[in-house]
Amino acid sequence: MAVYKSFSASNYAQAAQTAAQYLQETGIFDAVTRSDNVISCTYGGEIVATFTYSSGRIDVTFGVYSVYAADIDTFWIGSAKNGVLLDHHNRFVNPTNYRLYSFAICRSQSGVPMLLFHELGGSGGNSYTLTADAEYAPASEADAALRTNNYYSNLVGVCTIASGASTVAAADKVFRYADRQTNVPIDALSIISIAGTDYLTDGYLAVQD
């Protein structure tokens, strides 16, 4: 069953505790441990990911990729059967189509831990996607056009970018919107239903429950 919570920037310790719990419960990694506010995730006998929470900031390493996000006023932490969303709101960036920065942690269709990161800018956004065993840091992909309407949502698959890579990995049961119904929140996590299936969503990504 999908669940989610939100925490203010000053409650980063509680956010870290909840994120560690959700990451452990999904079973995406072999083991998840937390020391203070640093979450370490092990796969194949190695630490392949860390998530470090501090006041208004999160630092992430995932395989060969490192990134951070700051100026956060709200941490959103959510879990569904097929993945975890570690989202946050930057108090200075409030673009039109989306409101939350997304870190989605899931499996690839071959079972390898996978990270989908969506970052926002004043006029648009970019996505980065990689598996924990990727040899190279991910390339940036600009947001594709998204249509909105009052009646329905359509979801499409997410995969790594083929350029410079010998293989392409597709996320397992994690999607992004091609069409988004206008009543789907874009400034908070929520749970929606499409054709009888529930999804945890931030308005950009949707994790099947």
Side-chain angles (χ1 to χ4, degrees):
M1 178 179 176
V3 293
Y4 59 87
K5 297 180 180 180
S6 64
F7 303 89
S8 66
S10 61
N11 288 332
Y12 58 90
Q14 291 93 327
Q17 181 178 5
T18 300
Q21 175 190 339
Y22 289 174
L23 287 166
Q24 177 66 49
E25 290 173 349
T26 59
I28 293 169
F29 301 98
D30 297 336
V32 176
T33 60
R34 181 174 62 91
S35 177
D36 294 327
N37 303 307
V38 181
I39 303 165
S40 299
C41 305
T42 302
Y43 180 76
E46 299 181 357
I47 295 176
V48 297
T50 62
F51 303 89
T52 303
Y53 281 83
S54 55
S55 183
R57 178 175 170 128
I58 180 172
D59 290 76
V60 175
T61 63
F62 197 92
V64 295
Y65 183 55
S66 296
V67 65
Y68 77 91
D71 299 317
I72 297 169
D73 56 24
T74 305
F75 294 107
W76 287 89
I77 318 290
S79 176
K81 179 180 179 181
N82 293 288
V84 171
L85 286 179
L86 306 180
D87 278 66
H88 51 278
H89 181 260
N90 182 301
R91 64 180 182 269
F92 298 121
V93 180
N94 219 30
T96 302
N97 291 328
Y98 314 104
R99 294 287 188 271
L100 296 181
Y101 289 68
S102 312
F103 288 105
I105 301 92
C106 62
R107 294 181 182 88
S108 70
Q109 291 184 358
S110 61
V112 179
M114 191 169 184
L115 175 72
L116 286 59
F117 171 48
H118 181 238
E119 67 173 349
L120 298 174
S123 59
N126 294 282
S127 294
Y128 303 80
T129 307
L130 79 158
T131 53
D133 59 357
E135 295 183 17
Y136 304 101
S140 170
E141 182 179 6
D143 280 343
L146 182 147
R147 300 173 294 271
T148 59
N149 67 84
N150 294 327
Y151 307 106
Y152 62 88
S153 294
N154 279 325
L155 302 175
V156 294
V158 181
C159 65
T160 56
I161 299 173
S163 176
S166 58
T167 59
V168 174
D172 188 27
K173 298 181 177 64
V174 177
F175 309 91
R176 62 147 295 182
Y177 289 88
D179 302 274
R180 186 180 61 219
Q181 194 171 2
T182 50
N183 65 355
V184 176
I186 61 173
D187 57 358
L189 292 187
S190 63
I191 300 168
I192 64 168
S193 182
I194 301 176
T197 300
D198 287 341
Y199 297 85
L200 173 71
T201 185
D202 56 15
Y204 180 80
L205 296 171
V207 182
Q208 185 175 323
D209 198 29

